[in-house]
Amino acid sequence: MSDATEANEPAEPTGSDEGGGAGGRRVRVVLVDDHRMFRTGVQAEIGRTDVTGVEVVGEAADVDQAVTVITATRPEVVLLDVHLPGGGGVEVLRRCSPLMADAESPVRFLALSVSDAAEDVIGVIRGGARGYVTKTITGTDLVDSIFRVQEGDAVFSPRLAGFVLDAFASTDAPPVDEDLDRLTQREREVLRLIARGYAYKEIAKQLFISVKTVESHVSAVLRKLQLSNRHELTRWATARRLV
């Protein structure tokens, strides 16, 4: 399977609901995740269109591929991982904002991530995603979440729902951190690992990138935050409880 697939024509509804089928419901979906095996697993779990009603019309493994495939296929729902090469899910949302704003056929996003970190959840919701579920979700619940997002509902994993409501509704919610918002998703990941004391080689191994790329990200973080070295960076991250 290639990392980015071309659009397929929507399947014709079968009209059959035998064996717990989709009952005529159809939704076109793009999978965005940088782990090929995970995409394959999700495709196998939810992509049996005659049973689930979900038609997977494209896949992507990084930000550039995601924007290309989403623009080409115009799915109704995108399953979006938060951590992606090229800037993360937030960057995909930013570049696809015109598609989300389309009044007649909006593309809606549902974050599907292993992370339940506060900054990840708030970041993608603020970016325009309609929901956020973790990868512990069952296939049945994921299909249900996809259809709910297609219909315009907001969907969250149970443990995250109260947190999201509190973060946006409470008068005590923290203000937007403009310094943190200057960083890409990948830069935030590197920042957090640096602050935890990881060496460059360890960060490279954990994020599946080269040591040179880690060094470039650290340089960018230091420049954007106007810091001089990793010790100042660690203090900065600790003060914001990012460690």
Side-chain angles (χ1 to χ4, degrees), residues 22-200:
R25 298 192 305 172
R26 290 291 183 269
V27 58
R28 302 171 71 249
V29 172
V30 163
L31 305 178
V32 181
D33 193 289
D34 61 341
H35 291 95
R36 181 192 299 268
M37 290 184 65
F38 179 76
R39 297 197 313 271
T40 301
V42 173
Q43 166 80 289
E45 185 73 20
I46 71 172
R48 296 168 296 161
T49 308
D50 57 331
V51 176
T52 65
V54 176
E55 181 188 6
V56 178
V57 296
E59 299 181 13
D62 60 34
V63 170
D64 288 341
Q65 287 181 4
V67 174
T68 298
V69 173
I70 293 166
T71 302
T73 59
R74 296 297 293 263
E76 290 146 314
V77 177
V78 177
L79 287 181
L80 180 67
D81 192 14
V82 174
H83 302 294
L84 295 167
V90 172
E91 180 64 12
V92 175
L93 291 164
R94 185 187 70 79
R95 291 168 60 178
C96 290
S97 57
L99 301 180
M100 289 189 283
D102 188 320
E104 294 186 0
S105 56
V107 176
R108 296 189 168 103
F109 288 79
L110 173 63
L112 175 62
S113 176
V114 69
S115 171
D116 59 1
E119 63 267 26
D120 289 338
V121 179
I122 297 304
V124 295
I125 298 305
R126 194 161 58 201
R130 293 294 303 173
Y132 194 114
V133 294
T134 61
K135 290 181 177 179
T136 58
I137 193 170
T138 66
T140 300
D141 287 343
L142 181 57
V143 169
D144 180 65
S145 297
I146 289 169
F147 276 107
R148 288 174 59 191
V149 166
Q150 179 197 25
E151 294 163 1
D153 289 347
V155 179
F156 298 94
S157 291
R159 199 175 74 80
L160 303 179
F163 161 73
V164 173
L165 290 173
D166 290 344
F168 281 93
S170 173
T171 56
D172 297 326
V176 173
D177 190 325
E178 295 182 359
D179 289 332
L180 190 60
D181 277 356
R182 293 191 186 101
L183 306 182
T184 66
Q185 189 64 48
R186 181 63 88 187
E187 288 168 352
R188 294 186 194 190
E189 293 171 348
V190 171
L191 163 66
R192 189 178 296 111
L193 293 173
I194 284 287
R196 290 175 180 173
Y198 283 68
Y200 285 4

